[in-house]
């Protein structure tokens, strides 16, 4: 059943809140779309040319750690000065347990660091940024907070979710002084049930395959969140949305009449991290007004309006390795050896 009612919420930042630095982690392994076409006769991830693949020792925790360390290296803060750490992921390595504590422990953060985890929806990446911003806004003693989105979505080998599924992590250091002002936040909710989901105990994400319905849900909710930001503020602001492939984001961009930035075409679907990777891509192209929209199927979205930009290179330049489709199946656990090793 679809409910036609919707909810919008806007929230101006009461104090100056800024993104002061960013960090990213891109896995070294990649697989090209042509490998899937040869194996299946088609590649069902629209617009994706290649994607990143997590290695056997990489998951949402290890990638998050790498991204946060990269962000702190670019910032003026040490690990001990981070008051809040917020993690967004749909692929925690455990179903129940303090996965955020694992990240904080590996990073060597203080035991009194507040740790928050958002999960269960690809919206969680931008939601983590909203939470980090509000922690700085409401706590006058806060030096800095860190939001990190880390993901590696998995589907069944023969479906579009797995064909698109990539991997990566992005972290933002948030404080009161920085080159990127967090000007506004907003949210939008309207129920579109069954578009994409993962049942309890399952590793693979599923969807019903009603493409027109899925596109309507995505476009309606992403554009609704973008438009919930003040129209005066979003003039000339580009869109960096959650990107399940390299086609859907542009549908939302056309709906609101603005340019779109995404990295799904070269990295695949990075889940909670995809909107933040889109922000990095916008900054690399000298955009200084960006609305990041985190979309969660079902459906809800968060929007964050960022004014300003941060320079720097985030793409992995060395150590890259292209894997075959057979290697990809082993890396992602779709094929298991007789001895039980993937």
């Amino acid at each position: 059943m679809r409910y036609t009612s919707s909810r919008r919420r806007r929230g101006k930042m009461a104090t100056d809140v800024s993104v002061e630095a960013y960090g990213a982690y891109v896995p070294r392994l990649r697989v090209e779309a042509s490998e899937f076409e040869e194996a299946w006769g088609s590649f069902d991830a629209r617009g994706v040319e290649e994607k990143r693949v997590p290695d056997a020792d990489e998951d949402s925790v290890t990638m998050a750690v790498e991204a946060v360390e990269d962000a702190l290296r670019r910032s003026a803060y040490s690990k001990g000065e981070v008051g809040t750490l917020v993690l967004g992921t749909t692929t925690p390595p455990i179903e129940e347990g303090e996965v955020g504590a694992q990240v904080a422990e590996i990073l060597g953060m203080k035991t009194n660091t507040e740790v928050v985890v958002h999960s269960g929806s690809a919206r969680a990446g931008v939601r983590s940024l909203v939470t980090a911003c509000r922690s700085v806004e409401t706590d006058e003693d806060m030096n800095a907070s860190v939001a990190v989105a880390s993901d590696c979505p998995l589907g069944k080998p023969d479906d579009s979710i797995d064909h698109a599924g990539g991997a990566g992590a992005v972290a933002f250091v948030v404080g009161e002084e920085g080159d990127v002002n967090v000007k506004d936040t907003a949210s939008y909710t309207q129920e579109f049930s069954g578009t994409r989901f993962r049942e309890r105990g399952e590793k693979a994400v599923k969807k019903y395959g009603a493409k027109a319905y899925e596109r309507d849900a995505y476009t309606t909710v992403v554009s609704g969140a973008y438009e919930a930001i003040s129209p005066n503020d979003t003039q000339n602001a580009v869109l960096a949305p959650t990107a399940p492939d390299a086609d859907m984001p542009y549908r939302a961009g056309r709906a609101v009449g603005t340019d779109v930035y995404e990295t799904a075409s070269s990295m695949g679907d990075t889940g909670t991290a995809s909107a933040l990777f889109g922000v990095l891509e916008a900054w690399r192209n000298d955009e200084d007004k960006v609305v990041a929209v985190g979309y969660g199927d079902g459906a809800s979205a968060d929007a964050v309006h960022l004014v300003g930009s941060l320079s720097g290179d985030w793409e992995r330049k060395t150590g890259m390795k292209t894997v075959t489709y057979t290697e990809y199946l082993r890396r992602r656990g779709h094929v298991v050896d007789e001895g039980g090793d993937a």
Side-chain angles (χ1 to χ4, degrees):
M1 177 180 292
R2 171 182 164 186
Y3 295 92
T4 57
S5 61
S6 62
R7 296 191 298 116
R8 300 173 187 243
R9 181 183 182 277
R10 290 186 53 225
K12 289 282 189 181
M13 291 288 110
T15 60
D16 288 335
V17 177
S18 300
V19 175
E20 302 191 8
Y22 73 84
Y25 180 75
V26 178
R28 70 184 186 90
L29 302 181
R30 64 186 173 193
V31 61
E32 298 175 349
S34 58
E35 289 287 323
F36 288 78
E37 291 173 350
E38 184 175 343
W40 290 101
S42 65
F43 183 63
D44 296 330
R46 291 176 62 88
V48 177
E49 298 175 0
E50 64 178 53
K51 65 176 189 171
R52 296 302 181 265
V53 182
D55 210 338
D57 60 350
E58 293 176 323
D59 60 22
S60 58
V61 168
T62 62
M63 294 190 299
V65 169
E66 294 283 355
V68 172
E69 288 184 332
D70 186 35
L72 290 174
R73 280 193 295 268
R74 299 171 191 256
S75 80
Y77 297 103
S78 67
K79 298 171 185 177
E81 294 176 296
V82 175
T84 301
L85 172 67
V86 192
L87 168 66
T89 183
T90 63
T91 54
I94 52 176
E95 282 202 51
E96 181 177 342
E98 285 291 343
V99 67
Q102 294 180 17
V103 176
E105 177 68 21
I106 296 170
L107 286 166
M109 291 186 167
K110 299 183 300 181
T111 55
N112 65 346
T113 301
E114 181 184 16
V115 178
V116 181
V117 177
H118 294 298
S119 191
S121 166
R123 171 192 187 189
V126 174
R127 191 68 192 168
S128 295
L129 178 57
V130 172
T131 300
C133 291
R134 289 177 179 168
S135 70
V136 171
E137 181 186 28
T138 58
D139 188 346
E140 61 183 18
D141 296 324
M142 178 80 68
N143 289 319
S145 62
V146 174
V148 57
S150 180
D151 240 341
C152 44
L154 182 71
K156 294 183 177 180
D158 61 346
D159 69 19
S160 61
I161 291 175
D162 196 70
H163 287 196
V170 177
F172 284 168
V173 178
V174 179
E176 292 187 351
E177 297 181 2
D179 291 336
V180 179
N181 179 245
V182 181
K183 193 167 185 180
D184 200 359
T185 64
S187 64
Y188 183 97
T189 297
Q190 181 172 338
E191 186 178 25
F192 288 85
S193 59
T195 50
R196 175 170 167 156
F197 57 93
R198 180 158 56 89
E199 295 175 317
R200 183 177 295 277
E202 296 291 331
K203 292 183 178 180
V205 179
K206 301 177 182 178
K207 58 183 179 180
Y208 291 137
K211 292 183 178 180
Y213 177 64
E214 292 166 4
R215 292 167 181 167
D216 182 29
Y218 179 91
T219 302
T220 298
V221 177
V222 170
S223 62
Y226 179 96
E227 291 170 345
I229 302 286
S230 171
N232 293 330
D233 291 342
T234 56
Q235 186 175 7
N236 300 320
V238 299
L239 173 64
T242 297
D245 57 26
D247 172 67
M248 295 279 260
Y250 297 99
R251 294 176 181 273
R254 289 191 292 271
V256 297
T258 193
D259 291 337
V260 169
Y261 287 90
E262 48 78 22
T263 60
S265 55
S266 59
M267 291 183 62
D269 174 11
T270 52
T272 61
S274 61
L276 302 188
F277 271 118
V279 172
L280 300 189
E281 186 69 5
W283 287 345
R284 184 165 65 174
N285 285 271
D286 299 321
E287 301 286 358
D288 61 4
K289 293 181 180 179
V290 185
V291 175
V293 177
Y295 170 78
D297 287 85
S300 293
D302 293 296
V304 179
H305 185 203
L306 304 170
V307 178
S309 66
L310 294 170
S311 61
D313 193 11
W314 53 269
E315 284 192 311
R316 189 166 190 155
K317 299 297 185 183
T318 60
M320 296 298 295
K321 178 184 177 182
T322 300
V323 299
T324 66
Y325 182 68
T326 301
E327 289 175 300
Y328 165 78
L329 291 175
R330 287 170 53 82
R331 301 282 184 180
R332 297 300 276 142
H334 290 310
V335 174
V336 180
D337 292 338
E338 291 183 3
D341 295 326

